[in-house]
Amino acid sequence: MLSGLAAAGAGVLAAPHVRAQAGARIVVVGGGFAGASCARALGREAGNLAVTLVEPNARYTACPFSNAVIAGLREMDGQNFGYEALRRTGVDVVTARVVAVDAETRRVRLEDGASLDYARLVLAPGIDLDLGAIPGYDAAAAAVLPHAWKAGEQTLLLRRQLEAMADGGLVVIAAPANPFRCPPGPYERASLIAYYLKARKPRSKLIILDAKDAFSKQRLFEAAWTELYGGLIEWVPLSGGGRLTAVDAATRTLTTEFGSHRAAVANVIPPQRAAAVAVAAGVADRTGWCPIDPVTFESRLRPGIHVIGDAAIAGAMPKSAFAADAQAKACARAVAALVRGREPDEPKLINTCYSLVAPDYGISIAGVYQPRGGLLAEVEGAGGVSPIKAPPSFRAVEATYAMAWFRTITDGIFG
Amino acid sequence: MSGRTHRTGVAARASRRGLAVAALLWAAVPALARTAHPGDAAACGGCHAPASAGEVPDLRGRPPAEVVAAMRAFRSGERPATVMDRIAKGYSDEEIRAIAAWVTAPPGEAERPTQP
Ligand SMILES: Cc1cc2nc3c(=O)[nH]c(=O)nc-3n(C[C@H](O)[C@H](O)[C@H](O)COP(=O)(O)OP(=O)(O)OC[C@H]3O[C@@H](n4cnc5c(N)ncnc54)[C@H](O)[C@@H]3O)c2cc1C
């Protein structure tokens, strides 16, 4: 398929404004769970939309289950997905980075100077890590104290550091305040690292330094830690001096208001915000995230631009891949309706996030959401976490469902 | 479910978008609970799909009545579940019926438009 890229690059696009009509061009920025799912869903909508997905990487590396890679339970190959199937459904996948968005002329500019016009834009760029929020934690420090919060080389770096660590070493995970990508993620990571340490380096210890006083599925995690790992994991909440005030990469020292910890391996998960392109497009507010309409996912700040996935302020919905996929499909429906001048349906969305506390011990949190008071609110009476008391067979089934979910969602988007 | 009526919800959104005509049309509809639509089932595909067959059932091609019965039994707690009990509680009978029709659509129709 001839991509709009070449034509736009030559500056010969006839109409700078693509009219909202059947066959309108929808540009999706970001080929992660949110963007790739939305591009695929847009292709299924009526109206014969021309869908372009812009993503700088030829391959997507998924974060879910990357904690299992860190613990040596899984290989990185299983995390990587290509865009071939998406191309086969008719989506024009452009391998490039968007550097600017002009909401007035409805045009995005790519790194190489080319541009793409859109009738509606879907921004799904995920997060940027705030390297500057914690004194001493910059890009150079992240190469020594990995965050591993974007899967890829960072994931493998943390794994290698754990493998190289001597028995008896201190592992420290620093978790950020809310909101951030994957609320149960740091605790799943702590669990699986503890699983690795218990089997391979049993004299070691793991400390979680937390910038908050409560976390997702807390009672379930804490009960499982006691049951499976004895005293191996220690959680230090904000009120106990858990918040980082500085790090020193050279000595792997993490400092809090209450003291400092010299780690053998330190995993620093810094605060986050919507990825830079959201700021460039003018859709991020002072919080660093993007306010949206809960029915259409259209930005509250710039008309014609929709924001989905981790970058969006999705009310009660957590920043998860499951939520990103659900939002993507609802957004695709709304975009298709708006392009055809129809009233979008009010969406009803689900989230289910599984965490592995051990390979055969899964726990989950679920929720059902719908627009209320201008936000995506939780439907009362629904959702919640796995039962606090349950037999091992129940935990084993949830671990199986966790794997099944990952296969299903990645197959639905990339397969 | 929110106490917001169908009429006020749609009218509010319509006027926000300047679709006065749509608002007038919808105003004729008596105030009801939220109207279900096929998009409500989209999130189910996060887990229920062919790739999941084996652990999580692929619902396509199954009788819709079976899904309706299962959802109601999950919702009431009559049928034990790991997560479906928590999810089913978020749906009305009408929504369950609409969702069941959608998720059981036979294979091959999966990539069709979700709107007429
Ligand atoms: C350790 C860990 C475990 C997790 N486990 C789970 C789990 O079990 N279940 C779950 O549901 N979620 C999980 N998550 C969360 C999940 O990974 C995210 O919520 C999800 O990736 C969000 O999808 P997204 O599309 O919004 O962002 P991303 O997946 O980050 O995708 C964004 C894409 O946009 C691209 N992009 C960025 N800027 C530009 C630009 N300027 N131009 C073009 N493209 C751009 C990026 O290259 C990227 O490919 C986990 C996360 C972590 C870190």
Side-chain angles (χ1 to χ4, degrees), chain A residues 29-35 54-57 60 62-67 83 96-99 124-127 148-150 181-182 185 188-189 275 277 308-311 319-324 351-355 405:
Chain A
V29 179
F33 282 100
V54 189
E55 161 62 50
N57 303 304
Y60 176 66
C63 288
F65 281 88
S66 65
N67 286 332
Y83 297 100
R97 177 175 294 278
V98 171
V99 291
I127 60 159
W149 219 242
K150 288 191 178 191
R181 158 175 289 182
C182 195
E188 176 188 68
R189 177 172 290 175
V277 68
I308 52 173
D310 284 2
K319 298 188 187 304
S320 76
F322 194 114
N351 177 66
T352 303
C353 278
Y354 289 100
S355 299
W405 163 76

Side-chain angles (χ1 to χ4, degrees), chain A residues 216-231:
Chain A
S216 177
K217 305 180 228 183
Q218 181 165 353
R219 285 183 65 214
L220 286 160
F221 273 116
E222 289 183 330
W225 291 344
T226 306
E227 182 188 334
L228 302 177
Y229 306 123

